[in-house]
Each structure stands twice: as C-alpha cells, then as structure tokens.
Amino acid sequence: MGDERSGSAVHLLCLAASSGVPLFCRSSRGGNPARPQLPFSVIGSLNGVHMFGQNLEAQLSSARTEDTIVVWKSFHDSITLIVLSPEEGTSELRLERLLQMVFGAMVLLVGLEELTNIRNVERLKKELRASYRLIDSFLGDSELIGDLTQCVDCVIPPEGSLLQEALSGFAEAAGTAFVSLVVSGRVVAATEGWWRLGTPEAVLLPWLVGSLPPQAARDYPVYLPHGSPTVPHRLLTLTLLPSLELCLLCGPRPALRQLDPQLLERWWQPLLGPLRTCLPLGPRALPDGFPLHTDILGLLLLHLELKRCLFTVEPFGDKEPSPEQRRRLLRNFYTLVTTTHFPPEPGLPEKAEDAVHQAQLPRACYLVLRHGEPRRGLRLMVLQLGPRQLLLLLAPQSPTHGLRSLATHTLHALTPLL
C-alpha cells in the first residue's frame, strides 16, 4: 500500500463540457496546493479524448499510464472534471469521490443554475474563485476523511449532553432548526434538523467552515447541492472560542446582528468549561481518558446508516509512523476494503441472489505491511458489525491472532458514542 498523493502533483481540471473551455485548474504537490503545472495542450488532449469517446457513445471514465491514473466525470452534461494522480497508492474510488466532492463544492458556492446554464464563461470563472479554498483543501493532506467516506467527520465531547441541550435551546431562540457546533471542521453537536441534511452538504458545510480563515462572525451565502441547489441559503458562523464555531443554516432571517452578545452569553457563557474541553478534540476525536488499547495507532469508525464517522491518528501522542503517514495508510486501507470486500452502504437485499451474496460478505479482514520503514510490521484491521465499520491501524507488536478480539472489544466500547 503506497503513500497516496506523495511526490508528484495531483492535477484537477474543470472544463465547460460543450466547448471544452477550461474554467480552472488546481494542483497540489506533496499534499500542499500549488500553481497549475499542466500546459494547455495536455488539457486539450485530455478533454478531446473524452469528447471523442462520447461522440462514439462510449463513456471514458478512467485510464492508467506508467505513472499516472486519470479519471473523468461529467456532471449534468455541462461540467467535465478531470483528475490526474500518481498511480502508487491511488484508487479510482478515491478519485471518483474527489470529483463528486469538487462538484458539490462548486454547487455549494455558485449554485447549480450557473453551472448547468453557462451564459458567460468569464463571469463563471470569476464566481468559481470563491470555491478554490475549499477545493484546494480536498487536494491537500487534510486531517479529515469525509471527502473519501462521504460521512460527516465528528468528535465526541466529554459533556455532550450539556452542549446538546444548549444547542437546542439556542436554535429555538434564534429561530432556525439547523444549528451545529464545529471544531476544526468536525461536528461536535448538532440539532436534529442539521443531521437531516443530505449528502454532500452535510459533509461540505463543516468542511467549508474549517477551511475558511478565522473570523469572529460570517454571513455566507450557500446552496445545498442535494436539498436546494438553485435557491441560496445563509450560513451564519459565530466564533465561541478559537477554532470552535457555532453554525446556523437559515433563510432571510435572522439577521446576523440579531444574534447579539446577550443571546450568546445567555446560552454559552455558563458552558465555557465544557466548550474549552472541545478544543483538543480536533485531532484526537475522543475525550481524554477514553479506554483504547495502547497498540492502536489510529482508528476510523463509520456509522454507515447515519453517515457519520470518527477519525483519529493521535490517540496516544507521538509515536512512529508520523500522523500524516498514518492518515494515508488508513485512507488507502479504507479504499482497499471498500472496493474489494465491503459494500459502501448497508441495505436490505432486493433479490434472493443478493441475499446469498450479502450472507457471503466478510465480517473482518486484516493486512500486515511487509515493506518500507517505519511501516514494516504495522497491522491494519477492519471489522463490520451491523451498520458500524471499524478500521484500526495497530503497532507491529500486536499479535495477529488477537486482532479480531481487540477490534471487537474496541468497537463495543465505541458503539455508545456513534
């Protein structure tokens, strides 16, 4: 399992499908956004071969060269997205979901109407600049994983019931059903209305908040790619503590000035202590003192029905390999098991043969890395029980015969949280 997106740059191209005019090109090198590197001739060739296939009623979705994988995807016969990535450690699933997130980001900040009915290409190019920061965060080495899993990145606060009660009361006082508390792009708590948001906006909104520069308050127009792709809503954000923000999704009301300091103080001043305990939850996801086996170097817990996940590679502080390497290993392992062993979503079988196939699906599997220091001997384990799927990265000293027992115990401990 290679390191995803290491070394060479990942290139993302966006073109108008009918004319082939480039709308933007974004690149990342070594996990950091960089200036576009592809010449126009290469962009034209990549789009030309895709259009050639369409004219012959052949759908070109992906291709591989000696050192690169290319994935094409068209949206609403209006926008074509192309991504090029180094082949080592990169999967088509990863790139296809990246393109879905990128188009979702474009709809979120520009609206579907502007993308499907292009009247002025130059104006659209300017409007799409608002999405660059969010799109670049998908290309970079993010600490989040919702772009790949299509689940909302969450954290578990020590005093969640107190925060949930205050959030519900504040939402009622503010006059909106859609309120969440977000730390570093991860949801700490949310109202029932917020949790009912569809995919991809449920993933995109907290990711957007986490990608923006710090600001005391914002009034941000957004479209909902699933729920309201043509009519804008307002995303209001209020910073309670550094990196901890209150997010409201609403219509014309309330005005930002209506959320006065007295309203904030009434609901949140008494909870400064519990709010401060949320700040270190960004990278850790779990509260201090949560019982985890010391062999666990990283974990990803998915609730496939609720579309929520917990992701951490820092359960016990500094150990080898680095957090960046752990994230890549878990991301690559997720794509491996999702494409080979586990269906992406649970569901009732529609046919008898589907039921037989579902009965034959594995419940667990593991992988031992044999090559490359400091990864040699690391264990990767996945266990699925009902709607929950747990992926673990474990230290080399963890015995293989005990992996399933360790994963089962960990999953049972985490189940009340998600």
Side-chain angles (χ1 to χ4, degrees), residues 23 26 36 59-60 95 149 151 189 204 208 229 256 261 265 290 298 303 330 352 367 377 395 417:
L23 299 175
R26 309 301 295 172
Q59 184 64 43
L60 176 61
L95 298 180
T149 63
C151 296
L204 285 169
L208 171 65
L256 186 58
E265 288 177 9
F290 186 84
H303 196 299
L330 277 169
L367 181 69
L417 305 182

Side-chain angles (χ1 to χ4, degrees), residues 13-88:
L13 312 174
C14 176
L15 306 101
S18 58
S19 63
V21 174
L23 299 175
F24 63 78
C25 176
R26 309 301 295 172
S27 300
S28 75
R29 187 176 295 278
N32 297 312
R35 290 185 179 275
Q37 301 291 325
L38 290 181
F40 185 78
S41 59
V42 174
I43 296 174
S45 298
L46 290 168
N47 187 53
V49 69
H50 183 253
M51 294 181 69
F52 180 77
Q54 285 184 322
N55 292 335
L56 297 177
E57 299 183 354
Q59 184 64 43
L60 176 61
S61 59
S62 66
R64 289 179 181 266
T65 66
E66 291 182 357
D67 57 2
T68 303
I69 177 172
V70 185
V71 173
W72 292 261
K73 192 168 183 64
S74 294
F75 296 87
H76 299 274
D77 297 321
S78 179
I79 298 293
T80 298
L81 293 176
I82 308 171
V83 62
L84 299 84
S85 178
E87 182 176 0
E88 184 183 5

Side-chain angles (χ1 to χ4, degrees), residues 257-293:
R257 63 179 179 274
Q258 287 182 256
L259 303 176
D260 53 41
Q262 289 79 14
L263 183 62
L264 292 176
E265 288 177 9
R266 174 188 169 191
W267 290 103
W268 301 109
Q269 185 70 32
L271 296 179
L272 272 181
L275 289 173
R276 287 195 180 99
T277 64
C278 298
L279 299 182
L281 289 177
R284 180 172 164 78
L286 297 167
D288 284 336
F290 186 84
L292 283 178
H293 197 284

Side-chain angles (χ1 to χ4, degrees), residues 14-17 23-24 75-80 102-119 124-125 127-128 131 223 229:
C14 176
L15 306 101
L23 299 175
F24 63 78
F75 296 87
H76 299 274
D77 297 321
S78 179
I79 298 293
T80 298
V102 168
F103 185 73
M106 294 164 64
V107 176
L108 184 79
L109 297 173
V110 176
L112 187 61
E113 177 65 23
E114 293 293 325
L115 299 172
T116 57
N117 188 13
I118 303 174
R119 300 181 183 88
L124 179 58
K125 286 182 181 180
E127 292 177 345
L128 284 171
S131 65
Y223 298 81

Side-chain angles (χ1 to χ4, degrees), residues 336-349:
L336 174 67
V337 298
T338 300
T339 53
T340 56
H341 299 306
F342 296 89
E345 295 182 5
L348 295 175

Side-chain angles (χ1 to χ4, degrees), residues 20 76 83 90 112 137 184 242 311 326 345 353 382:
H76 299 274
V83 62
T90 305
L112 187 61
S137 71
S184 303
F311 182 47
R326 297 184 198 185
E345 295 182 5
E353 55 266 33
V382 59

Side-chain angles (χ1 to χ4, degrees), residues 210-348:
S211 71
L212 294 173
Q215 202 166 337
R218 303 185 192 91
D219 192 336
Y220 215 83
V222 293
Y223 298 81
L224 304 182
H226 174 76
S228 181
T230 57
V231 178
H233 287 62
R234 295 164 59 231
L235 177 65
L236 308 182
T237 69
L238 300 161
T239 299
L240 301 180
L241 292 170
S243 77
L244 182 65
E245 299 184 68
L246 195 60
C247 304
L248 298 84
L249 189 65
C250 55
R253 297 179 181 178
L256 186 58
R257 63 179 179 274
Q258 287 182 256
L259 303 176
D260 53 41
Q262 289 79 14
L263 183 62
L264 292 176
E265 288 177 9
R266 174 188 169 191
W267 290 103
W268 301 109
Q269 185 70 32
L271 296 179
L272 272 181
L275 289 173
R276 287 195 180 99
T277 64
C278 298
L279 299 182
L281 289 177
R284 180 172 164 78
L286 297 167
D288 284 336
F290 186 84
L292 283 178
H293 197 284
T294 55
D295 285 350
I296 296 176
L297 303 178
L299 69 84
L300 169 61
L301 174 64
L302 301 151
H303 196 299
L304 300 174
E305 291 179 354
L306 296 179
K307 292 288 187 180
R308 305 177 198 174
C309 66
L310 296 175
F311 182 47
T312 179
V313 293
E314 302 180 34
F316 297 108
D318 294 334
K319 283 184 180 180
E320 288 292 337
S322 69
E324 292 78 12
Q325 290 173 317
R326 297 184 198 185
R327 279 194 292 270
R328 289 173 185 158
L329 287 169
L330 277 169
R331 290 176 74 97
N332 289 347
F333 188 52
Y334 172 82
T335 58
L336 174 67
V337 298
T338 300
T339 53
T340 56
H341 299 306
F342 296 89
E345 295 182 5
L348 295 175

